[in-house]
Amino acid sequence: MKRSIAYFITAHGYGHAVRSSYLINQLGRENQITIISGIPKQFFDEEITVPFTYIQAEFDTGCVQFDTFSIDIESTQQNYLEQAFKNDRTLADWVNKLRDLDCDCIVSDVVPFAGVIANELNIPSISVSNFWWSDIYSAFPKSPDQEALLNRVNCEMNCFTHHVVLNPPMRKWESTPNVLTDVNLIRIARDRSNELREKLGIEQTQHLALLYTGNYGMNSVKWEKLSQFDNWRFIGLHPIPGKPSNFTLINKDQFTMQEFTASVDLVISKLGYGTVTESLASGTPLLYTPREGFAESPVLEKFLLPYGHCHCIEETEFNELKWESALDSLVSEGRRSFRLFNDTERVAKWILSR
């Protein structure tokens, strides 16, 4: 039976949208998908392989950041509560909009207000994530604003009828008919390193690294020093200052992000869910930096470390590009032989069976 599924995706970072895309590609094979998110439609056009409808909207703040490494706690609390009041005012409009779409089910990664809408519609609602935003906000300093924030998020998340808990989880869950635990949302990508090197004109004798840091808050990085690593070539989706001769700007026209990860010798990135899981799925070594105030980071790092072939470099050394020792060590270790497995099809079947 064909169902109409509304899929809400937070706009805080692209990691949620990346893993949601895997699941949407499964759910959308025989069902009608409406994506509701502040992530630009162009991203989903690149990642989604099934028909979908797109509505641009945002319902949560996620975390407001000073830069890619640290959180602006005060702004996060203020913005979230302001957004919550806006959500209250527009609740009836969204209920009517989804009723007009004949929505049978809501899936969310991880927009708390989506559960409230589903509750009003009296339809199943499934959260898909390794954390609730309250897990992140609980690390903030105790205050009346923090307490209000935690209460709001937990009340909204408790409106969901079902939960898919991804690895690594930030809270303990027991598997029940309404909860699916210990699953991974990843897409296994093939190694296309020979094609990639030929397309970019990179010799086999040079090491190849993917820079996946984004540009936000990265102005203090001495990118001009990148050229000192003359036996390395670096590629990335975002331009970097200084135009070092051994950096090449890439796009996803012919290679997916997962294929880039699987085709390089090393990924250099901040520690995020997508980066960790895709590195573990492909076996590609990971050089990463810590993220101050991100409660998810220690959980991701604990999950990553037993697999090996990873190295944490402090922010100051990262910004100064004091990478030589870490680069040499990681490339000498090669790829992991023990890798993460994929549960996307299993998760999709579980959701549809609800």
Side-chain angles (χ1 to χ4, degrees):
M1 180 179 67
K2 189 171 186 178
R3 301 169 177 85
S4 174
I5 300 173
Y7 207 122
F8 288 73
I9 304 171
T10 181
H12 177 77
Y14 279 71
H16 300 269
V18 168
R19 67 190 186 195
S20 295
S21 296
Y22 309 155
L23 188 50
I24 289 170
N25 285 333
Q26 285 287 334
L27 293 172
R29 291 181 178 182
E30 298 179 356
N31 300 284
Q32 180 180 337
I33 304 292
T34 299
I35 297 173
I36 304 174
S37 179
I39 297 290
K41 182 176 181 292
Q42 180 183 352
F43 172 86
F44 298 110
D45 288 335
E46 294 173 351
E47 297 291 332
I48 304 295
T49 59
V50 296
F52 69 93
T53 303
Y54 171 82
I55 300 175
Q56 184 169 20
E58 293 189 39
F59 303 93
D60 67 291
T61 298
C63 289
V64 180
Q65 297 175 224
F66 288 116
D67 52 40
T68 195
F69 300 113
S70 55
I71 297 174
D72 183 341
I73 293 175
E74 183 177 350
S75 294
T76 297
Q77 294 177 157
Q78 180 180 345
N79 287 11
Y80 201 107
L81 294 176
E82 288 176 357
Q83 181 66 55
F85 289 128
K86 178 182 177 181
N87 291 345
D88 290 343
R89 293 194 302 269
T90 61
L91 174 58
D93 293 337
W94 281 102
V95 169
N96 290 332
K97 188 185 294 287
L98 293 192
R99 186 175 285 126
D100 290 342
L101 292 172
D102 292 325
C103 184
D104 299 303
C105 170
I106 283 177
V107 182
S108 171
D109 186 352
V110 57
V111 179
F113 189 61
V116 179
I117 298 172
N119 187 61
E120 290 291 314
L121 288 166
N122 195 28
I123 59 176
S125 53
I126 300 96
S127 76
V128 181
S129 187
N130 60 316
F131 67 79
W132 292 3
W133 284 115
S134 52
D135 298 321
I136 306 298
Y137 303 148
S138 63
F140 290 2
K142 303 296 182 183
S143 71
D145 282 346
Q146 188 230 21
E147 184 179 359
L149 197 62
L150 295 178
N151 288 338
R152 177 79 188 204
V153 174
N154 286 330
C155 285
E156 292 183 336
M157 290 301 298
N158 283 324
C159 288
F160 285 91
T161 60
H162 302 79
H163 301 278
V164 175
V165 184
L166 304 177
N167 288 323
M170 290 192 66
R171 58 171 59 199
K172 291 184 178 180
W173 289 87
E174 296 294 332
S175 290
T176 70
N178 293 338
V179 178
L180 177 65
T181 64
D182 195 26
V183 287
N184 308 304
L185 276 189
I186 54 178
R187 183 168 65 188
I188 305 300
R190 61 190 178 97
D191 181 349
R192 299 177 61 190
S193 54
N194 290 335
E195 296 174 64
L196 180 60
R197 287 175 177 272
E198 182 177 355
K199 175 179 171 57
L200 300 180
I202 298 174
E203 297 177 3
Q204 295 288 342
T205 55
Q206 288 186 299
H207 302 306
L208 182 59
L210 172 65
L211 286 175
Y212 194 43
T213 57
N215 284 334
Y216 185 60
M218 303 301 288
N219 294 332
S220 57
V221 179
K222 307 297 184 183
W223 291 118
E224 66 276 6
K225 293 184 178 181
L226 203 64
S227 56
Q228 68 182 308
F229 305 110
D230 51 12
N231 61 332
W232 282 86
R233 287 287 297 274
F234 301 88
I235 60 175
L237 292 171
H238 306 283
I240 58 177
K243 298 181 179 179
S245 58
N246 56 344
F247 174 79
T248 301
L249 189 65
I250 56 174
N251 57 52
K252 294 187 285 185
D253 286 349
Q254 298 180 32
F255 295 80
T256 65
M257 195 64 207
Q258 297 75 33
E259 287 172 336
F260 282 125
T261 299
S263 302
V264 297
D265 300 309
L266 175 68
V267 173
I268 301 172
S269 180
K270 58 189 178 184
L271 204 61
Y273 178 90
T275 303
V276 168
T277 55
E278 288 173 14
S279 167
L280 292 178
S282 64
T284 306
L286 177 63
L287 175 63
Y288 64 92
T289 56
R291 302 177 74 186
E292 180 182 351
F294 283 78
E296 185 188 17
S297 288
V299 178
L300 290 170
E301 188 170 36
K302 184 178 180 180
F303 185 62
L304 171 68
L305 289 176
Y307 288 85
H309 299 246
C310 57
H311 182 84
C312 177
I313 185 169
E314 293 302 319
E315 182 180 350
T316 301
E317 291 187 345
F318 183 90
N319 291 345
E320 292 294 329
L321 263 72
K322 295 180 179 180
W323 300 356
E324 186 171 4
S325 176
L327 293 179
D328 290 344
S329 174
L330 285 170
V331 77
S332 67
E333 293 175 2
R335 309 182 83 82
R336 302 182 192 89
S337 56
F338 184 62
R339 303 179 185 180
L340 210 59
F341 53 88
N342 177 33
D343 295 306
T344 304
E345 185 175 353
R346 177 187 171 198
V347 172
K349 288 181 178 179
W350 188 87
I351 289 174
L352 294 175
S353 71
R354 299 306 97 182

